């Protein structure tokens, strides 16, 4: 059964994102005193007394404004209003009635006439004086009004939750694992202006995220599921990750932290690189983060339609020479603008996830490791020789191996790279990092 969808709308800076976080009992949306922090639609799963529903956070509505950026935000709000079953029209008790409130109220009354439920929420009611001032909002012409402080959550929140969930059935107990998610999670990451949101919109075939030449347009995490060839994928658009020294404290820093969090939680990272600029040092740092956190990696060279007289093979060879540590990653040459090779992303992500889940039998693993050791024995150090005793795969996602040795201090970096290379030569693991740790007999796992 379709879950009830509740959209939170209103003019800028009335506390919509704070309200979303309060109703969901968790901080999902970025909150700041500046206007236009929320820009795209942010979907958040929430629950109240066993009743599940979906919240949509939206950007501030500015009626009759021709600014392209504001028009994009308003378009996202229109989509949210169309998707929602219930609309929480949020106003600000501290600043009082605003001309924008009247314009928005007129629009929402039309939706109410079309059987959309609209509830007036007067936010920032932190004192008795503001409680009295809130009476002026009856002028907006709605039947019910809910007074609350989303920031403090001490009054009114429970009553509002009771109202918006009154027609939702309590979820029955299920034997299914609550944490199981069959979808392959793909985090779309990269520097600002590489085309991440354009790729998201093209894959979903709808305007899900605002696209602009202005750096830093995407701030919140945007995720949405899509089914492709009977497989489910969860696409996660993230804020652009700039060099740490250039990141402003506050909103941008929080957005970057959320982007890095998406890398930690995803199955596969789609690192979007601007083909016209090539692979930068910052792109390499983001790729290193993906390897560090163990997710699969697809390097997508976007804007390929703008690259003339260059073969993909030649371009890829140049990348392999420039960044040999990325040899394990899948590389794809795409154009979000023309749709070139975009659907290949799903197939490659599926293959990559299968490699991440791959398990090698202990017998076969020891055979390959011993062959590699005998083919190229390690050199002695101060008369001491490294010996391999036993190997096992500790876990997958990503594939992680433990090799028991006589003295792990004798393992040199070049020999670690040699063993990892032999594992890839024999077992593939294309697109996924692998972890090989060395342990002395009797040493406990950290």
């Amino acid at each position: 059964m379709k879950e009830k969808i509740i959209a939170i709308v209103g003019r800028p800076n009335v506390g919509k994102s704070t309200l979303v976080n309060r109703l969901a009992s968790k901080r999902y949306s970025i909150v700041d005193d500046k206007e236009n922090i929320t820009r795209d639609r942010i979907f958040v799963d929430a629950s109240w007394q066993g009743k599940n529903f979906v919240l949509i956070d939206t950007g501030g509505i500015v009626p009759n404004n021709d600014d392209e950026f504001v028009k994009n935000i308003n378009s996202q709000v229109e989509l949210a209003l169309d998707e929602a079953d219930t609309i929480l029209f949020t106003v600000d008790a501290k600043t009082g009635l605003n001309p924008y409130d009247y314009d928005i109220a007129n629009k929402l009354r039309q939706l109410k006439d079309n059987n959309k439920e609209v509830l007036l929420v007067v936010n920032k009611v932190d004192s008795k004086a503001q409680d009295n001032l809130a009476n002026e909002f009856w002028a907006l012409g709605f039947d019910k009004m809910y007074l609350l402080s989303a920031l403090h959550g001490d009054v009114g929140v429970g009553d509002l939750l009771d109202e918006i969930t009154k027609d939702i059935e309590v979820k029955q107990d299920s034997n299914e694992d609550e944490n199981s998610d069959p979808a392959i999670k793909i985090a779309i990451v990269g520097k600002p202006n590489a085309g991440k949101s354009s790729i998201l919109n093209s894959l979903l075939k709808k305007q899900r995220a605002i696209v602009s030449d202005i750096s830093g347009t995407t701030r919140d995490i945007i995720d949405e599921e899509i089914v492709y060839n009977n497989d489910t994928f969860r696409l996660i658009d993230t804020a652009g990750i700039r060099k740490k020294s250039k990141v402003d404290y506050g909103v941008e820093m929080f957005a970057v932290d959320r982007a890095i969090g998406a890398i930690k939680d995803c199955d596969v990272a789609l690192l979007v690189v601007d083909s016209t600029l090539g692979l930068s040092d910052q792109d390499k740092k983001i790729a290193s983060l993906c390897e560090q956190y163990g997710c699969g990696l697809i390097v997508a060279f976007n804007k390929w339609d703008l690259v003339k007289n260059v073969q993909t093979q030649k371009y890829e060879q140049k990348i392999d020479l420039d960044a040999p540590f990325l040899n394990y990653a899948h590389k794809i040459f795409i154009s979000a603008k023309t749709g070139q090779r975009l659907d290949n992303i799903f197939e490659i992500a599926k293959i990559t996830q299968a490699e991440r889940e791959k398990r090698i039998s202990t017998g076969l693993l020891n055979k390959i490791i011993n062959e590699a050791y005998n083919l190229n024995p390690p050199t002695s150090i101060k008369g001491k020789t490294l010996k391999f005793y036993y190997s096992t795969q500790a876990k997958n996602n990503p594939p992680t191996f433990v090799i028991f040795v006589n003295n792990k201090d004798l393992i040199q970096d070049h020999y670690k790279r040699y063993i990892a290379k032999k594992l890839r030569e024999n077992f593939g693991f294309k697109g996924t990092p692998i972890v090989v740790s060395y342990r002395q007999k009797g040493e406990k796992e950290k």
Side-chain angles (χ1 to χ4, degrees):
M1 186 175 67
K2 174 182 173 290
E3 288 186 330
K4 186 174 183 179
I5 297 176
I6 291 98
I8 290 86
V9 303
R11 61 184 175 83
N13 228 26
V14 295
K16 297 182 297 298
S17 295
T18 306
L19 180 58
V20 168
N21 293 338
R22 175 62 60 188
L23 296 178
S25 300
K26 189 173 181 180
R27 189 177 186 185
Y28 286 95
S29 294
I30 298 175
V31 176
D32 193 89
D33 290 334
K34 298 175 185 175
E35 292 187 359
N36 292 333
I37 297 301
T38 302
R39 297 167 176 181
D40 301 289
R41 305 184 331 277
I42 311 300
F43 290 78
V44 177
D45 291 323
S47 180
W48 173 248
Q49 296 182 345
K51 299 177 179 182
N52 296 336
F53 55 97
V54 177
L55 296 165
I56 310 180
D57 191 13
T58 64
I61 302 172
V62 181
N64 305 317
N65 190 306
D66 292 330
D67 179 83
E68 192 64 31
F69 206 68
V70 173
K71 286 167 69 176
N72 282 332
I73 292 175
N74 289 345
S75 295
Q76 288 285 306
V77 177
E78 291 284 346
L79 291 170
L81 293 174
D82 185 56
E83 294 163 326
D85 302 299
T86 296
I87 299 156
L88 302 187
F89 175 27
T90 310
V91 293
D92 186 340
K94 286 187 176 179
T95 58
L97 267 173
N98 182 290
Y100 287 168
D101 294 330
Y102 285 105
D103 291 337
I104 298 168
N106 290 333
K107 178 179 180 59
L108 295 182
R109 268 196 298 274
Q110 296 173 14
L111 295 176
K112 188 177 179 183
D113 293 339
N114 294 329
N115 295 322
K116 292 267 187 180
E117 183 183 32
V118 181
L119 303 178
L120 178 62
V121 178
V122 183
N123 190 26
K124 305 184 186 179
V125 179
D126 301 324
S127 68
K128 191 65 179 175
Q130 286 159 355
D131 195 344
N132 294 328
L133 289 173
N135 288 324
E136 66 177 320
F137 289 102
W138 287 116
L140 295 174
F142 290 93
D143 300 331
K144 290 184 179 180
M145 186 164 65
Y146 293 84
L147 310 184
L148 55 84
S149 170
L151 181 62
H152 300 111
D154 48 357
V155 177
V157 176
D159 292 337
L160 179 60
L161 283 165
D162 285 339
E163 177 64 27
I164 63 179
T165 61
K166 64 184 179 184
D167 54 352
I168 302 175
E169 294 181 5
V170 176
K171 182 181 177 183
Q172 300 300 314
D173 292 335
S174 172
N175 293 326
E176 294 180 13
D177 182 358
E178 289 276 342
N179 297 317
S180 65
D181 185 356
I184 297 174
K185 296 188 287 292
I186 304 174
I188 306 173
V189 300
K191 299 189 303 181
N193 270 25
K196 299 182 295 299
S197 295
S198 296
I199 290 172
L200 176 74
N201 291 337
S202 296
L203 290 173
L204 295 174
K205 295 179 173 54
K206 64 180 179 180
Q207 189 73 9
R208 178 62 183 84
I210 295 174
V211 177
S212 169
D213 291 332
I214 302 171
S215 178
T217 299
T218 301
R219 286 172 170 172
D220 274 294
I221 295 293
I222 301 171
D223 69 90
E224 189 148 331
E225 281 194 358
I226 182 172
V227 177
Y228 179 82
N229 285 350
N230 298 321
D231 294 307
T232 305
F233 299 86
R234 183 176 289 278
L235 300 175
I236 307 159
D237 190 20
T238 66
I241 303 174
R242 295 198 296 166
K243 291 181 180 178
K244 195 171 183 179
S245 60
K246 293 184 177 181
V247 174
D248 296 328
Y249 180 79
V251 172
E252 185 182 6
M253 182 175 289
F254 185 61
V256 169
D257 285 345
R258 295 286 292 273
I260 293 173
I263 293 174
K264 292 180 183 179
D265 295 337
C266 75
D267 299 309
V268 179
L270 183 73
L271 172 57
V272 182
V273 176
D274 187 334
S275 298
T276 63
L277 302 177
L279 194 72
S280 68
D281 288 341
Q282 182 63 6
D283 292 321
K284 294 175 189 177
K285 288 178 182 177
I286 298 171
S288 296
L289 279 177
C290 297
E291 184 175 20
Q292 175 186 336
Y293 292 122
C295 62
L297 181 59
I298 304 170
V299 184
F301 293 93
N302 191 29
K303 307 181 185 179
W304 191 248
D305 55 306
L306 301 179
V307 178
K308 306 299 181 184
N309 303 318
V310 178
Q311 294 180 339
T312 56
Q313 187 178 4
K314 295 273 188 183
Y315 197 101
E316 189 168 347
Q317 287 173 350
K318 183 176 180 299
I319 296 299
D320 288 342
L321 288 173
D322 185 37
F325 78 97
L326 282 178
N327 287 353
Y328 77 91
H330 288 283
K331 300 174 186 69
I332 184 172
F333 299 86
I334 64 173
S335 169
K337 183 177 180 180
T338 67
Q340 183 182 21
R341 302 190 188 94
L342 280 185
D343 285 348
N344 292 359
I345 291 170
F346 296 119
E347 295 294 342
I348 296 173
K350 184 179 176 181
I351 292 169
T352 301
Q353 182 59 14
E355 292 295 294
R356 293 183 75 238
E357 294 173 347
K358 186 182 287 184
R359 278 202 169 271
I360 310 301
S361 69
T362 300
L364 180 57
L365 177 64
N366 278 278
K367 179 177 181 293
I368 296 303
I369 293 293
N370 290 337
E371 284 179 358
Y373 181 92
N374 293 327
L375 184 66
N376 181 21
T379 55
S380 299
I381 300 176
K382 295 181 180 181
K384 295 180 180 179
T385 303
L386 175 68
K387 293 180 182 178
F388 283 7
Y389 293 133
Y390 178 78
S391 306
T392 186
Q393 183 173 356
K395 66 184 186 73
N396 54 3
N397 283 331
T400 302
F401 304 92
V402 179
I403 300 177
F404 292 89
V405 298
N406 62 328
N407 187 343
K408 64 182 183 181
D409 293 333
L410 298 176
I411 309 167
Q412 296 176 296
D413 287 341
H414 72 87
Y415 203 76
K416 291 179 181 178
R417 290 192 294 271
Y418 165 72
I419 293 298
K421 181 181 177 183
K422 286 299 178 183
L423 287 172
R424 289 193 181 278
E425 286 177 359
N426 285 275
F427 303 121
F429 300 125
K430 182 67 175 176
T432 181
I434 61 173
V435 179
V436 184
S437 62
Y438 295 84
R439 201 183 307 164
Q440 292 174 203
K441 273 193 171 182
E443 180 186 2
K444 292 183 177 180
E445 184 179 2
K446 292 182 181 178

